[in-house]
Amino acid sequence: MRILVALDTNRYSQYVVNEVAKLAMNTWADVTLLGVESRKPASNGTQPPRNLPIVRKLQEFREEFLGYFKDESVSPYAIKRWGYELVDRGKGLLEEMCVCKGMKDFRVRIRFGQPTKQILTEAVEEQSDLIVVGCSKGEQCTWEQDRNAPEKIVKAAPCSVLVVKEEKKPTKIVCCLDHDSVSQESLELINQMVTLHQTDLALVGLTESEHLREEVDQKMKQILQYYTAQKIKAWVSVVDVSLLDKFIADTAEKGLIALWMGHKSLIGKFFSQDRVGKLVRSAQSSVLILR
Amino acid sequence: MEDQKPTSILVLDDEPIVCKRLKSALEKRGYEVEIFFRSSDAFKRITERNFDIVITDLKMEGLDGMAFLTEVKKRSPATEVIVITGFATMETAKESFQKGVFDFLAKPFKLGEIQDAVERAEKKIKGNIS
């Protein structure tokens, strides 16, 4: 699993690092911590700009993250091998440098430019399975340089996105799923989140009308069988589309909301991108958008 | 003279979709792949022959992946084992590591990720890296 962690200097980014470290302790994922700065400051030759606040913050986050893996004998990020690799130093300069690697990749990167664009570019180039991004609680996020960055990332990301609102262990995970087109990757990501938080799983199907309720219920039970076979405690409920906003608002207080929004998603049709954006802005708990 | 025998891989996962995806992707790269959905069948097979690489899920009915990994390493220490799991925990990751697993991949993963792990394992087997 490849996790891209988009960070700024706000307090919620601290929560994000902690959440990702816990997930990485279980999954031994390849992890990239990414900060974005709007403009690259003038630099002296190939010397990197060390005095930017995001540079210092990322160094703190790196130490915080690696602090979860103090026992190097079983750490996936402890250096296990090294070798010489050609590294592009810019301005037409290639340099052969000694590169150390662990069993899993752990990188800290800074990109320059518009935050959403840079984060999405990184996710595509690195083929991330999950983007994790922080967001303030309340209507207005305070992401640096682009207040709507988490919302925009959720709308345009090529992979699943976890928007972390606060450091809180969810007591349940509520998954709004399509009944017959959920991707295997999404089911697997839910498995990992359930394992991480040791919670029960509520599977929610959507119906547009009462006469379809039984049909949706039957199809949701097929997904339930998958989880039951995996020995995950799960139950099914069917919600009318018109009540989805209220349902999510009610459940978001205690649980982690997961919405399947892949290309074939019916929820994607019911639930417009603007409504997803509103959900990300207004949710009191973390939100997982599955793709 | 260079050994032309393809690297042999056993894949064990109780989800047929995963096995079929891996078989197809790995065979395209020239590997000799056998897939198993039941650990009992895979166990029987490793008593018949050794594989260069074993890719195994952890959570399965009957003999689980950890026990299978232990058995593979006991019978054939040179076999490199790659664990894939949908229910990763700190304990299973550490235990796999301590049992000498070559790599530990949590689902979901891209095919490229497992192809990369297989390539690295193959290089190690052929003595190209320390």
Side-chain angles (χ1 to χ4, degrees):
Chain A
M1 192 194 299
R2 291 181 179 142
I3 305 177
L4 172 61
V5 193
L7 300 163
D8 65 3
T9 62
N10 274 304
R11 185 162 175 74
Y12 52 70
S13 285
Q14 181 74 55
Y15 302 148
V16 170
V17 172
N18 293 338
E19 285 299 297
V20 172
K22 288 173 201 162
L23 183 58
M25 284 173 85
N26 275 14
T27 60
W28 289 19
D30 290 316
V31 174
T32 300
L33 305 186
L34 176 69
V36 183
E37 185 67 30
S38 58
R39 266 186 293 177
K40 191 173 183 178
S43 63
N44 178 18
T46 54
Q47 288 301 308
R50 295 180 197 280
N51 55 352
L52 292 172
I54 189 67
V55 172
R56 291 197 300 272
K57 204 70 192 170
L58 284 172
Q59 288 167 347
E60 284 176 31
F61 288 150
R62 182 233 300 145
E63 290 306 306
E64 183 88 23
F65 180 89
L66 292 176
Y68 281 82
F69 301 88
K70 281 187 178 147
D71 184 356
E72 292 202 348
S73 64
V74 287
S75 167
Y77 308 110
I79 294 166
K80 293 282 190 302
R81 56 200 160 102
W82 61 274
Y84 288 96
E85 287 183 10
L86 270 180
V87 176
D88 188 347
R89 300 289 304 269
K91 296 184 179 174
L93 175 66
L94 290 179
E95 184 175 335
E96 195 175 42
M97 300 178 83
C98 182
V99 177
C100 301
K101 289 184 174 174
M103 187 175 179
K104 296 293 176 178
D105 288 337
F106 174 68
R107 298 188 179 104
V108 179
R109 287 183 166 177
I110 298 176
R111 282 179 172 263
F112 294 92
Q114 203 281 330
T116 307
K117 188 179 173 193
Q118 295 305 318
I119 292 163
L120 293 174
T121 301
E122 179 77 16
V124 171
E125 288 179 0
E126 292 303 311
Q127 297 189 44
S128 306
D129 296 294
L130 176 69
I131 300 173
V132 187
V133 59
C135 182
S136 321
K137 282 176 89 174
E139 276 296 307
Q140 189 67 66
C141 183
T142 53
W143 241 87
E144 286 154 8
Q145 303 153 50
D146 185 356
R147 288 175 180 274
N148 297 323
E151 198 178 322
K152 289 179 187 169
I153 292 165
V154 159
K155 287 181 186 176
C159 58
S160 296
V161 182
L162 175 62
V163 181
V164 175
K165 289 271 177 164
E166 61 181 340
E167 199 164 31
K168 189 172 80 174
K169 185 175 163 60
T171 53
K172 64 178 170 180
I173 295 177
V174 181
C175 290
C176 297
L177 301 172
D178 274 4
H179 34 72
D180 53 8
S181 63
V182 184
S183 68
Q184 178 71 18
E185 289 81 0
S186 294
L187 296 175
E188 288 167 355
L189 197 51
I190 293 168
N191 292 342
Q192 301 293 4
M193 298 308 283
V194 169
T195 306
L196 174 65
H197 295 295
Q198 294 290 302
T199 58
D200 296 345
L201 181 63
L203 299 167
V204 179
L206 298 177
T207 179
E208 278 183 293
S209 59
E210 196 56 36
H211 73 273
L212 288 174
R213 179 175 285 267
E214 197 172 330
E215 186 185 335
V216 174
D217 191 46
Q218 285 304 316
K219 288 182 175 174
M220 288 304 295
K221 280 178 181 159
Q222 290 171 10
I223 297 180
L224 179 65
Q225 281 174 0
Y226 169 84
Y227 285 108
T228 306
Q230 310 294 334
K231 298 189 172 58
I232 289 176
K233 193 177 169 191
W235 68 92
V236 165
S237 55
V238 178
V239 172
D240 193 280
V241 174
S242 63
L243 300 173
L244 187 59
D245 287 315
K246 186 178 181 309
F247 175 82
I248 286 174
D250 291 345
T251 50
E253 281 295 319
K254 290 180 184 171
L256 169 69
I257 295 283
L259 281 178
W260 155 241
M261 298 288 291
H263 289 305
K264 293 177 185 171
S265 165
L266 285 176
I267 298 170
K269 289 176 190 163
F270 295 143
F271 216 76
S272 69
Q273 293 286 19
D274 286 342
R275 283 173 76 189
V276 175
K278 189 183 168 203
L279 171 71
V280 169
R281 275 198 309 275
S282 59
Q284 294 298 305
S285 68
S286 300
V287 180
L288 175 62
I289 302 297
L290 299 161
R291 288 197 170 91
Chain B
M1 198 174 148
E2 199 178 333
D3 183 7
Q4 294 297 312
K5 203 175 146 200
T7 298
S8 58
I9 303 175
L10 179 149
V11 179
L12 169 60
D13 194 309
D14 58 1
E15 291 189 52
I17 187 172
V18 175
C19 283
K20 285 171 188 168
R21 226 175 114 215
L22 288 179
K23 182 177 169 68
S24 164
L26 294 170
E27 281 183 344
K28 274 183 195 157
R29 296 199 158 213
Y31 298 112
E32 177 202 325
V33 184
E34 291 187 28
I35 58 173
F36 296 88
F37 312 135
R38 283 194 296 263
S39 53
S40 54
D41 294 340
F43 180 76
K44 184 166 175 277
R45 189 63 177 135
I46 61 161
T47 62
E48 294 165 356
R49 63 160 290 190
N50 291 336
F51 288 83
D52 296 315
I53 298 170
V54 164
I55 301 172
T56 180
D57 193 6
L58 281 185
K59 197 171 178 179
M60 289 173 292
E61 288 292 323
L63 187 76
D64 72 11
M66 199 62 77
F68 185 68
L69 153 64
T70 308
E71 200 57 40
V72 168
K73 291 302 270 187
K74 195 171 104 188
R75 287 175 179 273
S76 170
T79 298
E80 295 298 346
V81 181
I82 298 167
V83 163
I84 52 175
T85 178
F87 302 88
T89 66
M90 200 164 39
E91 291 73 26
T92 52
K94 280 184 180 175
E95 193 179 347
S96 305
F97 190 79
Q98 285 158 346
K99 285 182 188 294
V101 76
F102 180 79
D103 206 345
F104 181 91
L105 298 176
K107 299 174 187 176
F109 52 75
K110 302 267 189 314
L111 278 174
E113 207 175 335
I114 199 146
Q115 284 166 343
D116 176 60
V118 167
E119 268 177 37
R120 284 188 289 109
E122 188 182 31
K123 276 185 190 167
K124 187 181 174 192
I125 292 163
K126 290 182 177 172
N128 292 344
I129 60 168
S130 56

